[in-house]
Amino acid sequence: MKYIEELQNGDAFSYKNKIYVISSDIDNKGRRNCLSLFDGFPKWFNSSETVELTQLFFVDQNNHFIAIKETKKEEWYIIIKL
């Protein structure tokens, strides 16, 4: 879990079963504007809101997974479902 204030422009995160991408827009109250990838609507998040950082990938013509935004190795999370 991370606070919105810890994220950088273009980072993707999940919040209440939706995926968002954070933009560079900040209002005068310090809230960050984020775009929902499910319905395309923007949503303002308080900087103290906690979210789950996630990664977005696409598949190229050779069926290789390519990260949309590269991250440092220590920021990767491995999720194993049993």
Coordinates of all heavy atoms in Angstrom, one line a residue:
M1 N 0.8 -1.2 0.0 CA 0.0 0.0 0.0 C 0.9 1.2 0.0 O 1.9 1.3 0.7 CB -0.9 0.0 1.2 CG -1.9 -1.1 1.4 SD -3.1 -1.1 0.2 CE -4.3 -0.1 0.9
K2 N 0.4 2.2 -0.8 CA 1.2 3.5 -0.8 C 0.2 4.7 -0.7 O -1.0 4.5 -1.1 CB 2.0 3.6 -2.1 CG 3.2 2.8 -2.2 CD 4.1 3.2 -3.3 CE 5.4 2.4 -3.2 NZ 6.4 3.2 -3.8
Y3 N 0.6 5.8 -0.3 CA -0.2 7.0 -0.3 C -0.1 7.6 -1.7 O 0.9 7.5 -2.4 CB 0.4 8.0 0.7 CG 0.2 7.6 2.2 CD1 1.3 7.2 2.9 CD2 -1.1 7.6 2.7 CE1 1.1 6.8 4.3 CE2 -1.3 7.2 4.1 CZ -0.2 6.8 4.8 OH -0.4 6.4 6.1
I4 N -1.2 8.3 -2.1 CA -1.2 9.0 -3.4 C -0.1 9.9 -3.5 O 0.5 10.0 -4.6 CB -2.6 9.7 -3.5 CG1 -3.7 8.7 -3.8 CG2 -2.5 10.7 -4.7 CD1 -3.8 8.1 -5.1
E5 N 0.3 10.6 -2.4 CA 1.4 11.6 -2.5 C 2.7 10.9 -2.8 O 3.7 11.6 -3.3 CB 1.5 12.4 -1.2 CG 1.9 11.5 0.0 CD 1.8 12.3 1.3 OE1 1.3 13.4 1.4 OE2 2.4 11.8 2.3
E6 N 2.9 9.6 -2.6 CA 4.1 8.9 -3.0 C 4.2 8.5 -4.4 O 5.3 8.1 -4.9 CB 4.2 7.6 -2.1 CG 4.3 7.9 -0.6 CD 4.4 6.6 0.2 OE1 3.4 5.9 0.2 OE2 5.4 6.4 0.8
L7 N 3.1 8.6 -5.2 CA 3.1 8.1 -6.5 C 3.6 9.2 -7.5 O 3.6 10.4 -7.2 CB 1.7 7.7 -7.0 CG 1.1 6.6 -6.1 CD1 -0.3 6.3 -6.7 CD2 1.9 5.4 -6.1
Q8 N 4.1 8.8 -8.7 CA 4.5 9.7 -9.7 C 3.6 9.7 -10.8 O 2.8 8.8 -11.0 CB 5.9 9.3 -10.1 CG 7.0 9.3 -9.1 CD 8.3 8.9 -9.6 OE1 8.5 8.6 -10.7 NE2 9.3 8.8 -8.7
N9 N 3.7 10.8 -11.6 CA 2.8 10.9 -12.8 C 2.9 9.6 -13.7 O 4.0 9.2 -13.9 CB 3.2 12.1 -13.6 CG 3.1 13.4 -12.9 OD1 2.4 13.5 -11.9 ND2 3.8 14.4 -13.3
G10 N 1.8 9.1 -14.1 CA 1.7 7.9 -15.0 C 1.7 6.6 -14.2 O 1.6 5.6 -14.8
D11 N 1.9 6.6 -12.9 CA 1.8 5.4 -12.1 C 0.3 4.9 -12.1 O -0.6 5.6 -12.1 CB 2.2 5.6 -10.7 CG 3.7 5.7 -10.5 OD1 4.4 5.3 -11.4 OD2 4.1 6.1 -9.4
A12 N 0.2 3.5 -12.2 CA -1.1 2.9 -12.1 C -1.3 2.3 -10.8 O -0.4 1.8 -10.1 CB -1.2 1.8 -13.2
F13 N -2.6 2.3 -10.3 CA -2.9 1.8 -9.0 C -4.3 1.3 -9.0 O -5.1 1.7 -9.8 CB -2.7 2.8 -7.9 CG -3.6 4.0 -8.0 CD1 -4.8 4.1 -7.4 CD2 -3.2 5.1 -8.7 CE1 -5.6 5.2 -7.4 CE2 -4.0 6.3 -8.8 CZ -5.2 6.3 -8.2
S14 N -4.6 0.4 -8.0 CA -6.0 -0.1 -7.9 C -6.6 0.5 -6.6 O -5.9 0.7 -5.6 CB -6.1 -1.6 -7.8 OG -5.3 -2.1 -6.7
Y15 N -7.9 0.8 -6.7 CA -8.6 1.4 -5.6 C -10.1 1.0 -5.7 O -10.7 1.3 -6.7 CB -8.5 3.0 -5.6 CG -9.3 3.7 -4.5 CD1 -8.8 3.8 -3.3 CD2 -10.5 4.3 -4.8 CE1 -9.4 4.4 -2.3 CE2 -11.2 4.9 -3.8 CZ -10.6 5.0 -2.5 OH -11.3 5.7 -1.6
K16 N -10.6 0.3 -4.7 CA -12.0 -0.2 -4.7 C -12.3 -0.9 -6.0 O -13.3 -0.6 -6.7 CB -12.9 0.9 -4.5 CG -12.8 1.5 -3.1 CD -13.9 2.5 -2.8 CE -13.8 3.0 -1.3 NZ -14.8 4.0 -1.0
N17 N -11.5 -1.9 -6.4 CA -11.7 -2.8 -7.6 C -11.7 -2.0 -8.9 O -12.3 -2.5 -9.9 CB -13.0 -3.6 -7.4 CG -12.9 -4.5 -6.2 OD1 -11.8 -5.1 -6.0 ND2 -14.0 -4.7 -5.5
K18 N -11.1 -0.9 -9.0 CA -10.9 -0.1 -10.2 C -9.4 0.2 -10.4 O -8.7 0.4 -9.4 CB -11.7 1.1 -10.3 CG -13.2 0.9 -10.4 CD -14.0 2.2 -10.7 CE -15.4 1.9 -10.9 NZ -16.2 3.2 -11.1
I19 N -9.0 0.3 -11.6 CA -7.6 0.7 -12.0 C -7.6 2.1 -12.4 O -8.4 2.5 -13.2 CB -7.0 -0.2 -13.1 CG1 -7.2 -1.7 -12.7 CG2 -5.6 0.2 -13.4 CD1 -6.3 -2.1 -11.5
Y20 N -6.7 2.9 -11.9 CA -6.5 4.3 -12.2 C -5.1 4.6 -12.6 O -4.2 3.9 -12.2 CB -6.8 5.2 -11.0 CG -8.3 5.2 -10.6 CD1 -8.7 4.2 -9.6 CD2 -9.2 6.1 -11.0 CE1 -10.0 4.2 -9.2 CE2 -10.5 6.1 -10.6 CZ -10.9 5.2 -9.7 OH -12.2 5.1 -9.3
V21 N -4.9 5.7 -13.4 CA -3.6 6.2 -13.7 C -3.5 7.6 -13.2 O -4.5 8.4 -13.4 CB -3.3 6.2 -15.3 CG1 -2.0 6.8 -15.6 CG2 -3.3 4.7 -15.8
I22 N -2.5 7.9 -12.5 CA -2.4 9.3 -11.9 C -1.8 10.3 -12.9 O -0.9 10.0 -13.7 CB -1.5 9.2 -10.6 CG1 -1.6 10.4 -9.8 CG2 0.0 9.0 -11.0 CD1 -1.1 10.3 -8.4
S23 N -2.4 11.5 -12.9 CA -2.0 12.5 -13.8 C -1.2 13.5 -13.1 O -0.9 13.4 -11.9 CB -3.2 13.2 -14.5 OG -3.9 14.0 -13.5
S24 N -0.7 14.5 -13.8 CA 0.1 15.6 -13.2 C -0.8 16.7 -12.6 O -0.2 17.6 -12.0 CB 1.0 16.2 -14.3 OG 0.2 16.7 -15.3
D25 N -2.1 16.6 -12.7 CA -3.0 17.7 -12.2 C -3.1 17.6 -10.7 O -3.4 16.5 -10.1 CB -4.4 17.5 -12.8 CG -4.4 17.8 -14.3 OD1 -3.5 18.5 -14.8 OD2 -5.4 17.4 -15.0
I26 N -2.9 18.7 -10.0 CA -3.0 18.9 -8.6 C -3.9 20.1 -8.4 O -3.6 21.2 -8.9 CB -1.7 19.0 -7.9 CG1 -0.8 17.8 -8.2 CG2 -1.9 19.2 -6.4 CD1 0.6 18.0 -7.7
D27 N -4.9 20.0 -7.5 CA -5.8 21.2 -7.3 C -5.2 22.0 -6.1 O -4.2 21.6 -5.5 CB -7.2 20.8 -7.1 CG -7.5 20.0 -5.8 OD1 -6.6 19.8 -5.0 OD2 -8.7 19.6 -5.6
N28 N -5.9 23.1 -5.8 CA -5.4 23.9 -4.7 C -5.5 23.3 -3.3 O -5.0 23.8 -2.3 CB -6.1 25.3 -4.7 CG -7.6 25.2 -4.7 OD1 -8.1 24.1 -4.6 ND2 -8.3 26.3 -4.7
K29 N -6.2 22.2 -3.2 CA -6.3 21.4 -1.9 C -5.3 20.3 -1.8 O -5.3 19.6 -0.8 CB -7.7 20.9 -1.8 CG -8.8 21.9 -1.7 CD -10.2 21.2 -1.6 CE -11.3 22.3 -1.6 NZ -12.6 21.7 -1.6
G30 N -4.5 20.2 -2.8 CA -3.4 19.1 -2.8 C -3.9 17.8 -3.3 O -3.2 16.8 -3.2
R31 N -5.1 17.7 -3.8 CA -5.7 16.5 -4.4 C -5.1 16.2 -5.7 O -4.8 17.1 -6.5 CB -7.2 16.5 -4.4 CG -7.8 16.6 -3.1 CD -9.3 16.7 -3.2 NE -9.8 17.7 -4.1 CZ -11.0 17.9 -4.5 NH1 -12.0 17.1 -4.1 NH2 -11.3 18.8 -5.3
R32 N -4.9 14.9 -6.1 CA -4.4 14.5 -7.4 C -5.5 14.0 -8.3 O -6.4 13.2 -7.8 CB -3.4 13.4 -7.2 CG -2.1 13.7 -6.4 CD -1.2 14.7 -7.1 NE -0.8 14.3 -8.4 CZ 0.4 13.7 -8.6 NH1 1.2 13.5 -7.6 NH2 0.8 13.4 -9.8
N33 N -5.5 14.4 -9.5 CA -6.5 13.9 -10.5 C -6.0 12.6 -11.1 O -4.9 12.5 -11.6 CB -6.7 15.0 -11.6 CG -7.9 14.7 -12.4 OD1 -8.8 13.9 -12.1 ND2 -8.1 15.5 -13.5
C34 N -6.9 11.6 -11.2 CA -6.6 10.3 -11.7 C -7.6 9.9 -12.7 O -8.8 10.2 -12.5 CB -6.4 9.3 -10.6 SG -5.2 9.8 -9.3
L35 N -7.3 9.1 -13.7 CA -8.2 8.7 -14.7 C -8.5 7.2 -14.6 O -7.6 6.4 -14.5 CB -7.6 8.9 -16.1 CG -8.4 8.6 -17.3 CD1 -9.7 9.5 -17.3 CD2 -7.6 8.7 -18.6
S36 N -9.8 6.8 -14.5 CA -10.2 5.4 -14.4 C -10.0 4.7 -15.7 O -10.4 5.3 -16.8 CB -11.7 5.3 -14.0 OG -12.1 4.0 -14.1
L37 N -9.4 3.6 -15.7 CA -9.2 2.8 -17.0 C -10.5 2.0 -17.3 O -10.5 1.4 -18.4 CB -8.0 1.9 -16.9 CG -6.7 2.6 -16.8 CD1 -5.5 1.6 -16.7 CD2 -6.5 3.6 -17.9
F38 N -11.4 1.9 -16.4 CA -12.7 1.1 -16.6 C -13.7 2.0 -17.3 O -14.3 1.5 -18.3 CB -13.2 0.6 -15.3 CG -12.5 -0.5 -14.7 CD1 -11.6 -0.4 -13.7 CD2 -12.6 -1.8 -15.2 CE1 -10.8 -1.4 -13.2 CE2 -11.9 -2.9 -14.8 CZ -11.0 -2.7 -13.7
D39 N -13.9 3.2 -16.9 CA -15.0 4.0 -17.5 C -14.5 5.4 -18.1 O -15.2 6.1 -18.7 CB -16.1 4.3 -16.5 CG -15.6 4.9 -15.2 OD1 -14.6 5.5 -15.2 OD2 -16.4 4.8 -14.2
G40 N -13.2 5.7 -17.9 CA -12.6 6.9 -18.5 C -12.9 8.2 -17.7 O -12.4 9.2 -18.1
F41 N -13.6 8.1 -16.6 CA -13.9 9.3 -15.8 C -12.8 9.6 -14.9 O -12.1 8.8 -14.3 CB -15.2 9.1 -15.0 CG -16.4 9.1 -15.8 CD1 -17.1 7.9 -16.1 CD2 -17.0 10.3 -16.2 CE1 -18.2 7.9 -16.9 CE2 -18.1 10.3 -17.0 CZ -18.8 9.1 -17.3
P42 N -12.5 10.9 -14.7 CA -11.5 11.4 -13.7 C -12.0 11.3 -12.3 O -13.3 11.4 -12.1 CB -11.2 12.8 -14.1 CG -12.5 13.3 -14.8 CD -13.1 12.1 -15.4
K43 N -11.1 11.2 -11.4 CA -11.5 11.2 -9.9 C -10.4 11.9 -9.2 O -9.2 11.6 -9.4 CB -11.7 9.8 -9.4 CG -12.0 9.7 -7.9 CD -12.3 8.2 -7.5 CE -12.5 8.1 -6.0 NZ -13.5 9.0 -5.4
W44 N -10.8 12.8 -8.3 CA -9.8 13.5 -7.4 C -9.5 12.6 -6.2 O -10.5 12.2 -5.5 CB -10.3 14.8 -7.1 CG -10.3 15.8 -8.2 CD1 -11.4 16.0 -9.0 CD2 -9.2 16.5 -8.8 NE1 -11.0 16.9 -10.0 CE2 -9.7 17.2 -9.9 CE3 -7.9 16.6 -8.4 CZ2 -8.9 18.1 -10.6 CZ3 -7.1 17.5 -9.1 CH2 -7.6 18.2 -10.2
F45 N -8.3 12.4 -5.8 CA -7.9 11.6 -4.7 C -7.1 12.5 -3.7 O -6.2 13.3 -4.1 CB -7.0 10.5 -5.0 CG -7.7 9.3 -5.7 CD1 -7.9 9.3 -7.0 CD2 -8.1 8.3 -4.9 CE1 -8.6 8.2 -7.6 CE2 -8.8 7.2 -5.4 CZ -9.0 7.2 -6.8
N46 N -7.4 12.5 -2.4 CA -6.7 13.2 -1.4 C -5.3 12.6 -1.3 O -5.1 11.4 -1.6 CB -7.3 13.1 0.0 CG -8.6 13.8 0.0 OD1 -8.7 14.9 -0.5 ND2 -9.6 13.3 0.7
S47 N -4.3 13.4 -1.0 CA -2.9 12.9 -1.0 C -2.7 11.9 0.1 O -1.7 11.1 0.0 CB -1.9 14.1 -0.7 OG -2.2 14.7 0.5
S48 N -3.5 11.8 1.1 CA -3.4 10.8 2.2 C -4.1 9.5 1.9 O -4.1 8.6 2.8 CB -3.9 11.4 3.5 OG -5.3 11.7 3.4
E49 N -4.8 9.4 0.8 CA -5.5 8.2 0.4 C -4.5 7.0 0.2 O -3.5 7.2 -0.5 CB -6.3 8.4 -0.8 CG -7.4 7.4 -1.1 CD -8.5 7.4 -0.1 OE1 -9.1 8.5 0.0 OE2 -8.8 6.4 0.5
T50 N -4.8 5.8 0.7 CA -3.9 4.7 0.4 C -4.4 3.9 -0.7 O -5.6 3.6 -0.8 CB -3.7 3.8 1.7 OG1 -5.0 3.4 2.1 CG2 -3.0 4.6 2.8
V51 N -3.5 3.4 -1.6 CA -3.9 2.7 -2.8 C -2.9 1.5 -3.0 O -1.8 1.5 -2.4 CB -3.9 3.6 -4.1 CG1 -5.0 4.6 -3.9 CG2 -2.6 4.2 -4.3
E52 N -3.2 0.6 -3.9 CA -2.3 -0.5 -4.2 C -1.7 -0.3 -5.5 O -2.4 -0.2 -6.5 CB -3.1 -1.8 -4.2 CG -2.3 -3.1 -4.3 CD -1.5 -3.3 -3.1 OE1 -2.0 -3.1 -2.0 OE2 -0.3 -3.8 -3.2
L53 N -0.4 -0.1 -5.5 CA 0.4 0.1 -6.8 C 0.3 -1.1 -7.7 O 0.3 -2.2 -7.2 CB 1.8 0.4 -6.4 CG 2.7 1.0 -7.6 CD1 2.2 2.3 -8.0 CD2 4.1 1.1 -7.1
T54 N 0.1 -0.9 -9.0 CA 0.0 -2.0 -9.9 C 0.7 -1.7 -11.2 O 1.2 -0.6 -11.4 CB -1.5 -2.3 -10.2 OG1 -1.6 -3.5 -11.0 CG2 -2.2 -1.2 -11.0
Q55 N 0.9 -2.7 -12.0 CA 1.6 -2.5 -13.3 C 0.7 -2.8 -14.4 O -0.2 -3.6 -14.3 CB 2.8 -3.5 -13.4 CG 3.9 -3.3 -12.3 CD 4.6 -2.0 -12.6 OE1 5.0 -1.7 -13.7 NE2 4.7 -1.2 -11.6
L56 N 0.9 -2.1 -15.5 CA 0.1 -2.3 -16.8 C 1.1 -2.8 -17.8 O 2.2 -2.3 -18.0 CB -0.5 -1.0 -17.2 CG -1.5 -0.3 -16.2 CD1 -1.9 1.0 -16.8 CD2 -2.6 -1.2 -15.9
F57 N 0.6 -3.8 -18.6 CA 1.4 -4.4 -19.6 C 0.6 -4.5 -20.9 O -0.6 -4.5 -20.9 CB 1.8 -5.8 -19.3 CG 2.7 -5.9 -18.0 CD1 2.2 -6.0 -16.8 CD2 4.1 -5.9 -18.2 CE1 2.9 -6.1 -15.6 CE2 4.9 -5.9 -17.0 CZ 4.3 -6.0 -15.8
F58 N 1.3 -4.6 -22.1 CA 0.7 -4.9 -23.3 C 1.5 -6.0 -24.0 O 2.7 -6.3 -23.6 CB 0.5 -3.7 -24.3 CG 1.8 -3.2 -24.8 CD1 2.3 -3.6 -26.1 CD2 2.6 -2.3 -24.2 CE1 3.5 -3.2 -26.6 CE2 3.8 -1.8 -24.7 CZ 4.2 -2.2 -25.9
V59 N 0.9 -6.7 -25.0 CA 1.6 -7.8 -25.6 C 2.0 -7.3 -27.0 O 1.1 -6.8 -27.8 CB 0.7 -9.0 -25.7 CG1 1.4 -10.2 -26.5 CG2 0.3 -9.5 -24.4
D60 N 3.3 -7.4 -27.4 CA 3.7 -7.0 -28.7 C 3.4 -8.1 -29.8 O 2.9 -9.1 -29.5 CB 5.2 -6.6 -28.7 CG 6.2 -7.7 -28.5 OD1 5.7 -8.9 -28.5 OD2 7.4 -7.4 -28.3
Q61 N 3.9 -7.8 -31.0 CA 3.6 -8.7 -32.1 C 4.3 -10.1 -31.9 O 3.9 -11.1 -32.6 CB 3.9 -8.1 -33.5 CG 5.4 -7.8 -33.7 CD 5.9 -6.5 -33.1 OE1 5.1 -5.8 -32.5 NE2 7.1 -6.1 -33.5
N62 N 5.3 -10.2 -31.1 CA 6.0 -11.4 -30.8 C 5.5 -12.1 -29.5 O 6.2 -13.0 -29.0 CB 7.5 -11.2 -30.8 CG 8.0 -10.7 -32.1 OD1 7.6 -11.2 -33.1 ND2 9.0 -9.8 -32.0
N63 N 4.4 -11.7 -29.0 CA 3.8 -12.2 -27.8 C 4.7 -12.0 -26.6 O 4.6 -12.8 -25.7 CB 3.4 -13.7 -27.9 CG 2.2 -13.8 -28.9 OD1 1.4 -13.0 -29.0 ND2 2.2 -14.9 -29.6
H64 N 5.4 -10.9 -26.5 CA 6.2 -10.6 -25.4 C 5.4 -9.5 -24.6 O 4.8 -8.6 -25.1 CB 7.6 -9.9 -25.8 CG 8.5 -10.9 -26.5 ND1 8.9 -10.6 -27.8 CD2 8.9 -12.1 -26.2 CE1 9.7 -11.6 -28.2 NE2 9.7 -12.6 -27.2
F65 N 5.5 -9.7 -23.2 CA 4.8 -8.7 -22.3 C 5.8 -7.5 -22.2 O 6.9 -7.7 -21.8 CB 4.5 -9.3 -21.0 CG 3.4 -10.3 -21.0 CD1 3.6 -11.7 -21.1 CD2 2.1 -9.9 -20.9 CE1 2.6 -12.6 -21.2 CE2 1.0 -10.7 -21.0 CZ 1.3 -12.1 -21.1
I66 N 5.3 -6.3 -22.4 CA 6.0 -5.1 -22.3 C 5.3 -4.2 -21.3 O 4.1 -4.0 -21.4 CB 6.1 -4.4 -23.7 CG1 6.6 -5.3 -24.8 CG2 7.0 -3.1 -23.5 CD1 8.0 -5.8 -24.7
A67 N 6.1 -3.7 -20.3 CA 5.5 -2.8 -19.3 C 5.2 -1.4 -20.0 O 6.0 -0.9 -20.7 CB 6.5 -2.6 -18.1
I68 N 4.1 -0.9 -19.7 CA 3.7 0.4 -20.2 C 4.6 1.5 -19.5 O 5.1 2.4 -20.2 CB 2.2 0.7 -20.0 CG1 1.4 -0.2 -20.9 CG2 1.9 2.2 -20.2 CD1 0.0 -0.1 -20.8
K69 N 4.8 1.4 -18.2 CA 5.7 2.3 -17.5 C 6.7 1.4 -16.8 O 6.3 0.6 -15.9 CB 5.0 3.2 -16.6 CG 5.9 4.2 -15.9 CD 5.1 5.1 -15.0 CE 6.1 6.1 -14.4 NZ 5.5 6.9 -13.4
E70 N 8.0 1.6 -17.1 CA 9.0 0.8 -16.4 C 9.2 1.3 -14.9 O 9.0 2.5 -14.7 CB 10.4 1.0 -17.1 CG 10.3 0.5 -18.6 CD 11.2 -0.6 -18.9 OE1 12.1 -0.9 -18.0 OE2 11.2 -1.1 -20.0
T71 N 9.5 0.4 -14.0 CA 9.7 0.7 -12.6 C 11.0 0.1 -12.2 O 11.6 -0.7 -12.8 CB 8.6 0.2 -11.7 OG1 8.5 -1.3 -11.9 CG2 7.2 0.8 -12.1
K72 N 11.5 0.6 -11.0 CA 12.7 0.1 -10.5 C 12.4 -1.3 -9.9 O 11.3 -1.6 -9.5 CB 13.2 1.0 -9.3 CG 13.6 2.3 -9.8 CD 14.0 3.2 -8.6 CE 14.3 4.6 -9.1 NZ 14.6 5.5 -7.9
K73 N 13.5 -2.1 -9.9 CA 13.3 -3.5 -9.5 C 12.7 -3.7 -8.1 O 11.9 -4.5 -7.8 CB 14.6 -4.3 -9.5 CG 14.5 -5.7 -9.3 CD 15.9 -6.4 -9.5 CE 15.7 -7.9 -9.3 NZ 17.0 -8.6 -9.5
E74 N 13.1 -2.8 -7.1 CA 12.6 -2.9 -5.8 C 11.1 -2.6 -5.6 O 10.5 -2.8 -4.6 CB 13.4 -2.1 -4.8 CG 13.4 -0.6 -5.0 CD 14.5 -0.2 -6.0 OE1 15.2 -1.0 -6.5 OE2 14.7 1.0 -6.1
E75 N 10.5 -2.0 -6.7 CA 9.1 -1.6 -6.6 C 8.2 -2.7 -7.1 O 7.0 -2.6 -7.1 CB 8.8 -0.4 -7.4 CG 9.5 0.9 -6.8 CD 9.3 2.1 -7.7 OE1 8.6 2.0 -8.7 OE2 9.7 3.2 -7.3
W76 N 8.7 -3.8 -7.6 CA 7.9 -4.9 -8.2 C 7.3 -5.7 -7.0 O 7.9 -6.0 -6.0 CB 8.8 -5.8 -9.0 CG 9.0 -5.3 -10.4 CD1 9.9 -4.3 -10.7 CD2 8.3 -5.6 -11.6 NE1 9.8 -4.0 -12.0 CE2 8.9 -4.8 -12.6 CE3 7.3 -6.4 -11.9 CZ2 8.4 -4.8 -13.9 CZ3 6.8 -6.5 -13.2 CH2 7.4 -5.7 -14.2
Y77 N 6.1 -6.2 -7.2 CA 5.4 -7.0 -6.3 C 5.0 -8.3 -7.0 O 4.6 -8.3 -8.2 CB 4.1 -6.4 -5.8 CG 4.4 -5.1 -5.0 CD1 4.3 -3.9 -5.6 CD2 4.7 -5.2 -3.7 CE1 4.5 -2.7 -4.9 CE2 4.9 -4.1 -2.9 CZ 4.8 -2.8 -3.5 OH 5.1 -1.7 -2.8
I78 N 5.2 -9.4 -6.3 CA 4.8 -10.7 -6.9 C 3.6 -11.2 -6.1 O 3.6 -11.3 -4.9 CB 5.9 -11.8 -6.7 CG1 7.1 -11.3 -7.5 CG2 5.4 -13.1 -7.2 CD1 8.4 -12.2 -7.3
I79 N 2.5 -11.5 -6.8 CA 1.3 -11.9 -6.2 C 1.1 -13.4 -6.6 O 1.0 -13.7 -7.8 CB 0.1 -11.1 -6.7 CG1 0.3 -9.6 -6.2 CG2 -1.2 -11.6 -6.1 CD1 -0.7 -8.7 -6.8
I80 N 0.9 -14.2 -5.6 CA 0.7 -15.7 -5.9 C -0.6 -16.0 -5.3 O -0.9 -15.8 -4.1 CB 1.8 -16.5 -5.2 CG1 3.2 -16.1 -5.8 CG2 1.5 -18.0 -5.4 CD1 4.3 -16.8 -5.1
K81 N -1.5 -16.6 -6.1 CA -2.8 -17.0 -5.7 C -2.8 -18.5 -5.6 O -2.4 -19.2 -6.5 CB -3.9 -16.6 -6.6 CG -4.1 -15.1 -6.6 CD -5.2 -14.7 -7.5 CE -5.4 -13.2 -7.5 NZ -6.5 -12.7 -8.3
L82 N -3.2 -19.0 -4.5 CA -3.2 -20.5 -4.2 C -4.6 -21.0 -4.5 O -5.6 -20.4 -4.2 CB -2.7 -20.8 -2.8 CG -1.3 -20.4 -2.5 CD1 -1.0 -20.7 -1.1 CD2 -0.3 -21.1 -3.4

